[in-house]
Amino acid sequence: MNVDSPQSQNTSLQRLQNVEKRVVRVLELAGGVMDELANPSGPRKDSLNNHCGEFMQLIKDIQVTLREEIKSACEYRPFEKCDYSARLSSEVSCKKLEYVLSQLDKMEETINQYQGSA
């Protein structure tokens, strides 16, 4: 499948949305652990173990998915055909040329004044 294709971009967005859902679940698990630790009768070890195990698995899944997405984003260059940097470089060159021309005009005036007074 071509990385530039809309289908590829769509599946990439879907994977990132799944990561977002996993992050929300991670936060819910962290909240559950906090609730368990704040329990007046003391935390239930089995609940803590389940929450922590799921938490760690989700973190691993998130990391793997994000690594893959970053790697594929590096392969995909959306601005590859953009001419912004070339246009910017041309504009800077034009400004430099305008400056050089103004300096040459000043030099010409100075030479004319010198020759006129001699």
Side-chain angles (χ1 to χ4, degrees):
M1 180 177 2
N2 184 358
V3 179
D4 295 337
S5 73
Q7 185 179 3
S8 171
Q9 292 171 5
N10 189 33
T11 57
S12 179
L13 287 176
Q14 288 170 344
R15 285 190 296 267
L16 291 174
Q17 285 174 338
N18 287 336
V19 165
E20 183 179 18
K21 289 176 185 173
R22 288 182 191 139
V23 168
V24 169
R25 179 65 184 143
V26 161
L27 294 174
E28 289 171 349
L29 288 168
V33 168
M34 295 301 291
D35 289 342
E36 215 32 69
L37 291 173
N39 190 347
S41 62
R44 295 173 301 186
K45 189 174 182 176
D46 61 331
S47 178
L48 286 177
N49 284 338
N50 290 339
H51 280 51
C52 290
E54 187 179 349
F55 177 91
M56 292 306 293
Q57 186 58 51
L58 284 169
I59 292 294
K60 288 177 186 176
D61 294 345
I62 290 167
Q63 286 178 333
V64 166
T65 305
L66 289 178
R67 278 192 197 112
E68 290 170 356
E69 288 305 309
I70 289 169
K71 185 188 257 186
S72 71
C74 290
E75 294 167 359
Y76 172 63
R77 293 183 174 88
F79 302 110
E80 194 171 72
K81 296 176 182 129
C82 179
D83 66 343
Y84 175 77
S85 62
R87 285 188 299 129
L88 184 63
S89 179
S90 294
E91 285 183 39
V92 170
S93 295
C94 284
K95 294 293 181 189
K96 287 179 180 179
L97 282 173
E98 287 173 7
Y99 178 75
V100 168
L101 287 172
S102 72
Q103 294 300 311
L104 287 173
D105 288 341
K106 288 179 184 177
M107 288 173 68
E108 186 178 23
E109 287 175 19
T110 304
I111 290 170
N112 288 340
Q113 287 176 355
Y114 179 74
Q115 289 176 343
S117 66

